[in-house]
Amino acid sequence: MSVDTTPSAAEDSPAGPGAPAGADTDGVVAMFRRVLETEDVAADSDFFLLGGDSLVATRVLSAIARSYGVELTFEDFVGAPTPERLAEKIADAR
């Protein structure tokens, strides 16, 4: 079994040089951490269980639009409230 040691897109900053074409889970985790003002966010953390609400969710949606050029709806966010699932939605929309 071989192990891939090449850098992944998840190591890139969502808005920085070399930003990935699609979303990476780590980039969405960083967005959650920034808007929720907590480091206690993992790939499978539920935004709403972490204390997020609809107003704060709009900040995440705006950051996604700026960083990835994808406009997700609030309904998309509610249906995929974790960084992992939002990254999938972003990738699907691209």
Side-chain angles (χ1 to χ4, degrees):
M1 174 190 232
S2 100
V3 176
D4 183 6
T5 59
T6 59
S8 72
E11 294 173 10
D12 289 328
S13 166
D24 62 275
T25 302
D26 289 344
V28 181
V29 165
M31 289 176 188
F32 276 32
R33 288 178 176 163
R34 189 171 54 251
V35 301
L36 294 171
E37 299 177 353
T38 182
E39 292 298 311
D40 193 25
V41 178
D44 61 350
S45 296
D46 186 294
F47 178 82
F48 299 104
L49 294 178
L50 291 171
D53 59 30
S54 60
L55 293 177
V56 179
T58 62
R59 292 179 56 201
V60 174
L61 291 171
S62 292
I64 288 170
R66 282 190 310 275
S67 296
Y68 300 110
V70 171
E71 296 282 338
L72 297 178
T73 65
F74 181 70
E75 289 76 23
D76 291 330
F77 193 101
V78 170
T82 67
E84 188 173 63
R85 294 187 53 214
L86 271 177
E88 292 170 3
K89 286 260 187 206
I90 295 164
D92 290 346
R94 293 195 67 132

Short mmCIF file of all heavy atoms in Angstrom, two decimals, residues 51-86:
data_model
loop_
_atom_site.label_atom_id
_atom_site.label_comp_id
_atom_site.label_asym_id
_atom_site.label_seq_id
_atom_site.Cartn_x
_atom_site.Cartn_y
_atom_site.Cartn_z
N GLY A 51 -23.27 27.04 18.40
CA GLY A 51 -23.80 28.34 18.81
C GLY A 51 -24.08 29.29 17.67
O GLY A 51 -24.50 30.43 17.91
N GLY A 52 -23.86 28.85 16.45
CA GLY A 52 -24.14 29.71 15.30
C GLY A 52 -25.63 29.87 15.09
O GLY A 52 -26.42 29.02 15.48
N ASP A 53 -26.01 31.00 14.50
CA ASP A 53 -27.41 31.24 14.19
C ASP A 53 -27.52 31.71 12.74
O ASP A 53 -26.51 31.79 12.03
CB ASP A 53 -28.02 32.26 15.16
CG ASP A 53 -27.31 33.61 15.15
OD1 ASP A 53 -26.76 34.01 14.10
OD2 ASP A 53 -27.31 34.28 16.20
N SER A 54 -28.73 32.02 12.31
CA SER A 54 -28.95 32.37 10.91
C SER A 54 -28.20 33.63 10.50
O SER A 54 -27.72 33.73 9.37
CB SER A 54 -30.44 32.51 10.62
OG SER A 54 -31.00 33.53 11.42
N LEU A 55 -28.08 34.59 11.39
CA LEU A 55 -27.36 35.82 11.05
C LEU A 55 -25.88 35.56 10.86
O LEU A 55 -25.26 36.08 9.91
CB LEU A 55 -27.58 36.88 12.12
CG LEU A 55 -29.01 37.41 12.22
CD1 LEU A 55 -29.13 38.41 13.38
CD2 LEU A 55 -29.44 38.07 10.92
N VAL A 56 -25.30 34.76 11.71
CA VAL A 56 -23.88 34.43 11.60
C VAL A 56 -23.65 33.52 10.39
O VAL A 56 -22.62 33.61 9.72
CB VAL A 56 -23.35 33.82 12.91
CG1 VAL A 56 -21.88 33.45 12.80
CG2 VAL A 56 -23.55 34.78 14.08
N ALA A 57 -24.62 32.68 10.08
CA ALA A 57 -24.50 31.80 8.91
C ALA A 57 -24.37 32.62 7.63
O ALA A 57 -23.65 32.22 6.72
CB ALA A 57 -25.71 30.87 8.82
N THR A 58 -25.02 33.78 7.58
CA THR A 58 -24.90 34.63 6.38
C THR A 58 -23.47 35.12 6.20
O THR A 58 -23.03 35.32 5.07
CB THR A 58 -25.88 35.81 6.41
OG1 THR A 58 -25.57 36.65 7.53
CG2 THR A 58 -27.31 35.35 6.46
N ARG A 59 -22.74 35.27 7.29
CA ARG A 59 -21.32 35.67 7.19
C ARG A 59 -20.50 34.54 6.55
O ARG A 59 -19.61 34.80 5.74
CB ARG A 59 -20.76 36.04 8.55
CG ARG A 59 -21.38 37.32 9.10
CD ARG A 59 -20.86 37.70 10.45
NE ARG A 59 -19.42 37.83 10.46
CZ ARG A 59 -18.68 37.76 11.56
NH1 ARG A 59 -19.23 37.55 12.74
NH2 ARG A 59 -17.37 37.90 11.49
N VAL A 60 -20.81 33.30 6.91
CA VAL A 60 -20.12 32.16 6.31
C VAL A 60 -20.47 32.09 4.83
O VAL A 60 -19.59 31.91 3.98
CB VAL A 60 -20.48 30.83 7.02
CG1 VAL A 60 -19.86 29.64 6.28
CG2 VAL A 60 -20.04 30.85 8.47
N LEU A 61 -21.73 32.26 4.50
CA LEU A 61 -22.15 32.21 3.09
C LEU A 61 -21.47 33.30 2.27
O LEU A 61 -21.07 33.07 1.13
CB LEU A 61 -23.68 32.31 2.99
CG LEU A 61 -24.45 31.10 3.52
CD1 LEU A 61 -25.95 31.39 3.59
CD2 LEU A 61 -24.17 29.86 2.67
N SER A 62 -21.31 34.49 2.85
CA SER A 62 -20.62 35.58 2.16
C SER A 62 -19.14 35.23 1.96
O SER A 62 -18.58 35.50 0.89
CB SER A 62 -20.73 36.88 2.96
OG SER A 62 -22.05 37.33 2.96
N ALA A 63 -18.53 34.66 2.98
CA ALA A 63 -17.12 34.26 2.87
C ALA A 63 -16.93 33.18 1.80
O ALA A 63 -15.96 33.21 1.05
CB ALA A 63 -16.60 33.77 4.22
N ILE A 64 -17.88 32.26 1.73
CA ILE A 64 -17.83 31.22 0.69
C ILE A 64 -17.93 31.85 -0.69
O ILE A 64 -17.17 31.50 -1.59
CB ILE A 64 -18.93 30.17 0.92
CG1 ILE A 64 -18.60 29.30 2.14
CG2 ILE A 64 -19.15 29.30 -0.33
CD1 ILE A 64 -19.73 28.39 2.61
N ALA A 65 -18.83 32.78 -0.85
CA ALA A 65 -19.00 33.45 -2.14
C ALA A 65 -17.72 34.19 -2.54
O ALA A 65 -17.29 34.11 -3.69
CB ALA A 65 -20.19 34.41 -2.09
N ARG A 66 -17.11 34.89 -1.59
CA ARG A 66 -15.87 35.63 -1.88
C ARG A 66 -14.71 34.70 -2.18
O ARG A 66 -13.95 34.93 -3.12
CB ARG A 66 -15.49 36.53 -0.70
CG ARG A 66 -16.26 37.80 -0.59
CD ARG A 66 -15.65 38.75 0.45
NE ARG A 66 -15.40 38.11 1.74
CZ ARG A 66 -16.29 37.97 2.71
NH1 ARG A 66 -17.52 38.42 2.54
NH2 ARG A 66 -15.95 37.38 3.85
N SER A 67 -14.56 33.66 -1.37
CA SER A 67 -13.40 32.78 -1.50
C SER A 67 -13.49 31.78 -2.64
O SER A 67 -12.49 31.46 -3.25
CB SER A 67 -13.19 32.00 -0.19
OG SER A 67 -12.88 32.89 0.86
N TYR A 68 -14.70 31.29 -2.89
CA TYR A 68 -14.86 30.22 -3.87
C TYR A 68 -15.71 30.58 -5.08
O TYR A 68 -15.84 29.78 -6.00
CB TYR A 68 -15.45 28.97 -3.19
CG TYR A 68 -14.57 28.46 -2.08
CD1 TYR A 68 -14.96 28.57 -0.75
CD2 TYR A 68 -13.35 27.87 -2.35
CE1 TYR A 68 -14.15 28.10 0.28
CE2 TYR A 68 -12.53 27.40 -1.33
CZ TYR A 68 -12.94 27.53 -0.02
OH TYR A 68 -12.13 27.07 0.98
N GLY A 69 -16.33 31.77 -5.07
CA GLY A 69 -17.15 32.18 -6.20
C GLY A 69 -18.42 31.39 -6.33
O GLY A 69 -18.95 31.23 -7.43
N VAL A 70 -18.93 30.85 -5.22
CA VAL A 70 -20.13 30.03 -5.22
C VAL A 70 -21.17 30.67 -4.32
O VAL A 70 -20.88 31.01 -3.17
CB VAL A 70 -19.81 28.60 -4.72
CG1 VAL A 70 -21.07 27.79 -4.51
CG2 VAL A 70 -18.89 27.89 -5.69
N GLU A 71 -22.37 30.84 -4.83
CA GLU A 71 -23.47 31.40 -4.04
C GLU A 71 -24.34 30.25 -3.54
O GLU A 71 -25.09 29.65 -4.31
CB GLU A 71 -24.32 32.34 -4.90
CG GLU A 71 -23.58 33.56 -5.40
CD GLU A 71 -23.42 34.63 -4.35
OE1 GLU A 71 -24.20 34.66 -3.37
OE2 GLU A 71 -22.49 35.44 -4.51
N LEU A 72 -24.21 29.92 -2.26
CA LEU A 72 -25.07 28.91 -1.66
C LEU A 72 -26.22 29.62 -0.96
O LEU A 72 -26.09 30.76 -0.52
CB LEU A 72 -24.29 28.07 -0.64
CG LEU A 72 -23.13 27.23 -1.18
CD1 LEU A 72 -22.45 26.49 -0.04
CD2 LEU A 72 -23.61 26.25 -2.23
N THR A 73 -27.34 28.92 -0.83
CA THR A 73 -28.50 29.49 -0.14
C THR A 73 -28.44 29.12 1.35
O THR A 73 -27.71 28.21 1.75
CB THR A 73 -29.81 28.95 -0.72
OG1 THR A 73 -29.88 27.54 -0.46
CG2 THR A 73 -29.90 29.20 -2.22
N PHE A 74 -29.27 29.79 2.13
CA PHE A 74 -29.37 29.45 3.54
C PHE A 74 -29.88 28.02 3.68
O PHE A 74 -29.44 27.28 4.57
CB PHE A 74 -30.27 30.43 4.29
CG PHE A 74 -30.38 30.12 5.74
CD1 PHE A 74 -29.30 30.31 6.60
CD2 PHE A 74 -31.56 29.62 6.28
CE1 PHE A 74 -29.39 30.00 7.95
CE2 PHE A 74 -31.66 29.32 7.63
CZ PHE A 74 -30.58 29.52 8.47
N GLU A 75 -30.78 27.60 2.79
CA GLU A 75 -31.28 26.23 2.82
C GLU A 75 -30.16 25.23 2.56
O GLU A 75 -30.14 24.15 3.17
CB GLU A 75 -32.42 26.05 1.81
CG GLU A 75 -33.70 26.74 2.19
CD GLU A 75 -33.68 28.27 1.97
OE1 GLU A 75 -32.87 28.76 1.13
OE2 GLU A 75 -34.45 28.96 2.63
N ASP A 76 -29.23 25.57 1.67
CA ASP A 76 -28.05 24.73 1.44
C ASP A 76 -27.27 24.58 2.74
O ASP A 76 -26.84 23.48 3.10
CB ASP A 76 -27.11 25.32 0.39
CG ASP A 76 -27.68 25.30 -1.01
OD1 ASP A 76 -28.48 24.40 -1.34
OD2 ASP A 76 -27.33 26.21 -1.80
N PHE A 77 -27.10 25.70 3.43
CA PHE A 77 -26.33 25.72 4.67
C PHE A 77 -27.01 24.86 5.74
O PHE A 77 -26.36 24.06 6.40
CB PHE A 77 -26.18 27.16 5.16
CG PHE A 77 -25.16 27.33 6.24
CD1 PHE A 77 -23.91 27.82 5.96
CD2 PHE A 77 -25.46 27.02 7.55
CE1 PHE A 77 -22.96 27.98 6.96
CE2 PHE A 77 -24.53 27.17 8.56
CZ PHE A 77 -23.27 27.65 8.26
N VAL A 78 -28.32 25.02 5.90
CA VAL A 78 -29.07 24.25 6.90
C VAL A 78 -28.98 22.75 6.59
O VAL A 78 -28.86 21.93 7.50
CB VAL A 78 -30.54 24.71 6.97
CG1 VAL A 78 -31.38 23.77 7.81
CG2 VAL A 78 -30.61 26.13 7.54
N GLY A 79 -29.01 22.40 5.32
CA GLY A 79 -28.93 21.00 4.92
C GLY A 79 -27.54 20.40 5.04
O GLY A 79 -27.38 19.18 5.02
N ALA A 80 -26.53 21.26 5.16
CA ALA A 80 -25.14 20.79 5.25
C ALA A 80 -24.39 21.69 6.24
O ALA A 80 -23.52 22.46 5.85
CB ALA A 80 -24.50 20.85 3.87
N PRO A 81 -24.71 21.61 7.54
CA PRO A 81 -24.17 22.57 8.50
C PRO A 81 -22.77 22.26 9.06
O PRO A 81 -22.37 22.88 10.04
CB PRO A 81 -25.21 22.53 9.62
CG PRO A 81 -25.68 21.12 9.61
CD PRO A 81 -25.70 20.74 8.15
N THR A 82 -22.05 21.34 8.43
CA THR A 82 -20.69 21.05 8.89
C THR A 82 -19.70 21.50 7.80
O THR A 82 -20.06 21.56 6.61
CB THR A 82 -20.49 19.54 9.14
OG1 THR A 82 -20.57 18.84 7.90
CG2 THR A 82 -21.52 19.00 10.13
N PRO A 83 -18.46 21.81 8.17
CA PRO A 83 -17.48 22.19 7.16
C PRO A 83 -17.31 21.14 6.06
O PRO A 83 -17.23 21.47 4.87
CB PRO A 83 -16.18 22.35 7.97
CG PRO A 83 -16.66 22.76 9.32
CD PRO A 83 -17.93 21.96 9.53
N GLU A 84 -17.29 19.88 6.47
CA GLU A 84 -17.13 18.78 5.52
C GLU A 84 -18.25 18.77 4.47
O GLU A 84 -18.01 18.68 3.27
CB GLU A 84 -17.11 17.48 6.31
CG GLU A 84 -16.78 16.25 5.55
CD GLU A 84 -16.64 15.09 6.53
OE1 GLU A 84 -17.62 14.74 7.21
OE2 GLU A 84 -15.52 14.57 6.61
N ARG A 85 -19.48 18.88 4.93
CA ARG A 85 -20.62 18.82 4.02
C ARG A 85 -20.75 20.10 3.20
O ARG A 85 -21.15 20.05 2.03
CB ARG A 85 -21.89 18.50 4.79
CG ARG A 85 -21.79 17.07 5.35
CD ARG A 85 -23.04 16.53 5.99
NE ARG A 85 -24.20 16.63 5.13
CZ ARG A 85 -25.43 16.85 5.59
NH1 ARG A 85 -25.64 16.98 6.88
NH2 ARG A 85 -26.44 16.92 4.77
N LEU A 86 -20.42 21.25 3.80
CA LEU A 86 -20.46 22.48 3.02
C LEU A 86 -19.41 22.45 1.90
O LEU A 86 -19.66 22.92 0.79
CB LEU A 86 -20.22 23.70 3.90
CG LEU A 86 -21.44 24.31 4.53
CD1 LEU A 86 -21.06 25.48 5.44
CD2 LEU A 86 -22.45 24.80 3.50
#
